Amino acid sequence: MVIYLAFFALSLCFIYFYEKTQIKFFMLIGIAFPVILAALRSDVVGTDVRVYAEQLFDMAVSSNSFNDFTRMHWYSVWRYKTVSEFEIGYVILVYVCAKLHSFALLLGLTQFLTLYPISMVLDKYKKRYSGIMTIGLSIYYLLFYNMSLNMMRQWIAMAMMLLAFQYFKDGSNKYFIITFIIAILFHKTAILGLFIIMAYKFLNKKSGTVVLKTVQNTYDLKKILLLCLILIIFLLTISNKFRLSLINAFHFSEYATYIDGEVTLSLNQLVVDIPIIFLLISIWKFRKNIVDNYFYVFCIFSNIFLSQLASVMAYSSRISLYISVFKILIVPVYISSMSSKLQKYISLLGVIMFYLLYWYYTYVINGIDATVPYVFTSFK
């Protein structure tokens, strides 16, 4: 357990130095610590390491060619799995690392392909929000790092989707398309990012008003769009038929079993959002000063609703992760937008302490994602 916290602290120290000095070397060293920790872990750290990463790697080592590798299969639990079932981006990554005979390289690159895009996104905001990289990566480490040691393919996809979103926002269409395609090549559920980008596009329209003649009242168009989008997400959460119809419409029927069922209130999923709600209330008076305020509010409430799908099946909550990842950005933006330094420091301390307890309860006590205790690999 301690090794995680030590590596998190060392990483954040160098990230902090980078933000103060703008020396890229400090950022690279900061990123290196969690990447090395991921690379040197045993195959018992992270459930999916043994489920598919190690299996794919061993077959790639023994294969005669890439085509030969993609045709291989193995028996897993109750059925045969073939290499071709997995996204081509991850398959290529495994094959390259296997031919270099380094499983540690595979695990390390997997974390690098997750952490570096997230760092790139946060780095784009450093001039506007002080300390955004240090705070944002603190949130990533405490909420998501251990999870990323298990859900490796999806976390690469989510990180790339977050970077693609930023390119879209900046108007860099070429880089948006390239990065978004890369995300899908590692996990096809990254297509969900299109809906997030559409929501951002709707909420980023120029300010306007709507007049209802029957009551002679004027309403902010963005507020109406925000309420409509949140209502759609709410219906998606509570209506099983609505969920299944969308799954079938977009040809994701293979994932239907993950969301097929009635939703009940899951308090565990609500707890993690308590700090976000607290921050939203704290900056409410100043929300208009935040550039993407409406989009952030959409992310907060959409995540609250969609996370309740975990009551259907644990895997169902993975859908909400594509929105939940924006907490890495929302938390530092909200804290930086507070009016006084004292309020910022108290809020930051409160959030970090809360998520430190959450990290301990989730990953240490409950053993979620099977990452604690940390075990070093044995090089042969």
Side-chain angles (χ1 to χ4, degrees):
M1 178 190 83
V2 175
I3 192 170
Y4 285 111
L5 299 180
F7 271 64
F8 293 167
L10 288 169
S11 171
L12 293 172
C13 284
F14 280 94
I15 294 298
Y16 177 79
F17 293 152
Y18 164 66
E19 290 193 281
K20 291 298 181 183
T21 64
Q22 295 304 303
I23 299 175
K24 287 284 186 181
F25 176 74
F26 287 137
M27 184 180 78
L28 294 175
I29 295 298
I31 292 174
F33 280 104
V35 169
I36 291 170
L37 190 64
L40 298 183
R41 74 189 192 268
S42 164
D43 61 0
V44 300
V45 179
T47 306
D48 284 351
V49 176
R50 281 187 169 179
V51 170
Y52 64 78
E54 194 173 48
Q55 300 281 358
L56 290 172
F57 182 85
D58 290 342
M59 284 188 292
V61 169
S62 63
S63 64
N64 296 319
S65 66
F66 183 74
N67 287 334
D68 180 40
F69 172 48
T70 57
R71 290 193 295 266
M72 290 182 168
H73 63 270
W74 78 96
Y75 191 78
S76 176
V77 186
W78 53 274
R79 70 178 183 89
Y80 282 99
K81 284 187 177 181
T82 60
V83 174
S84 59
E85 290 180 34
F86 293 84
E87 291 82 0
I88 190 64
Y90 188 72
V91 170
I92 292 173
L93 178 65
V94 171
Y95 184 78
V96 170
C97 293
K99 292 310 174 185
L100 294 173
H101 298 279
S102 179
F103 190 59
L105 178 63
L106 172 62
L107 298 180
L109 281 177
T110 300
Q111 184 58 216
F112 178 80
L113 291 173
T114 301
L115 187 54
Y116 189 67
I118 291 172
S119 300
M120 288 178 65
V121 172
L122 292 172
D123 193 45
K124 290 177 179 290
Y125 291 84
K126 65 177 182 292
K127 291 183 179 179
R128 190 186 307 169
Y129 302 107
S130 177
I132 189 169
M133 286 193 71
T134 307
I135 300 172
L137 290 180
S138 297
I139 302 305
Y140 170 70
Y141 293 151
L142 295 177
L143 290 185
F144 304 125
Y145 178 78
N146 292 69
M147 187 191 300
S148 73
L149 300 183
N150 172 28
M151 298 164 48
M152 295 168 287
R153 290 153 47 231
Q154 185 171 341
W155 262 102
I156 293 177
M158 290 192 295
M160 290 295 179
M161 185 277 295
L162 186 64
L163 182 58
F165 167 84
Q166 189 60 46
Y167 282 134
F168 177 84
K169 181 181 170 183
D170 294 341
S172 303
N173 294 330
K174 180 176 69 173
Y175 292 111
F176 157 67
I177 293 171
I178 293 172
T179 312
F180 193 76
I181 290 173
I182 292 172
I184 295 174
L185 290 177
F186 277 92
H187 208 279
K188 59 185 175 182
T189 57
I191 195 70
L192 294 171
L194 282 180
F195 296 100
I196 297 171
I197 290 169
M198 287 171 59
Y200 172 79
K201 188 68 175 177
F202 279 125
L203 295 172
N204 200 44
K205 289 180 178 292
K206 293 182 179 180
S207 297
T209 57
V210 175
V211 178
L212 299 180
K213 293 182 179 180
T214 55
V215 292
Q216 294 298 311
N217 286 336
T218 301
Y219 297 93
D220 190 315
L221 180 60
K222 284 188 177 181
K223 289 181 181 178
I224 294 175
L225 289 171
L226 175 62
L227 290 174
C228 289
L229 288 171
I230 292 176
L231 178 60
I232 291 172
I233 296 296
F234 178 71
L235 292 174
L236 185 65
T237 304
I238 64 172
S239 174
N240 190 38
K241 289 184 178 179
F242 188 29
R243 290 197 303 274
L244 291 176
S245 63
L246 283 179
I247 282 287
N248 292 326
F250 290 96
H251 305 287
F252 283 107
S253 55
E254 62 190 277
Y255 295 102
T257 55
Y258 293 159
I259 62 169
D260 187 8
E262 297 303 318
V263 173
T264 58
L265 183 63
S266 174
L267 294 177
N268 289 338
Q269 295 297 322
L270 291 176
V271 168
V272 72
D273 289 308
I274 290 176
I276 307 290
I277 297 299
F278 167 79
L279 292 176
L280 178 60
I281 294 171
S282 298
I283 57 91
W284 189 253
K285 291 182 180 179
F286 312 100
R287 67 190 185 279
K288 291 183 179 179
N289 297 327
I290 299 173
V291 177
D292 296 319
N293 171 58
Y294 285 97
F295 176 70
Y296 292 157
V297 173
F298 164 76
C299 288
I300 291 169
F301 286 97
S302 296
N303 178 68
I304 289 173
F305 292 140
L306 290 174
S307 65
Q308 295 302 302
L309 292 175
S311 62
V312 177
M313 182 184 287
Y315 284 104
S316 305
S317 61
R318 293 189 176 192
I319 295 173
S320 67
L321 286 175
Y322 281 96
I323 297 177
S324 186
V325 69
F326 282 92
K327 290 175 185 174
I328 297 168
L329 189 57
I330 293 173
V331 170
V333 167
Y334 277 2
I335 290 176
S336 296
S337 301
M338 290 178 175
S339 57
S340 69
K341 285 187 176 181
L342 180 61
Q343 186 183 21
K344 290 178 182 180
Y345 292 143
I346 292 174
S347 298
L348 177 58
L349 181 61
V351 169
I352 295 300
M353 291 303 297
F354 186 95
Y355 282 141
L356 186 60
L357 291 173
Y358 172 84
W359 178 85
Y360 183 79
Y361 178 77
T362 303
Y363 299 113
V364 179
I365 295 179
N366 287 339
I368 302 298
D369 295 309
T371 57
V372 178
Y374 182 88
V375 180
F376 282 101
T377 188
S378 56
F379 293 99
K380 299 179 180 179

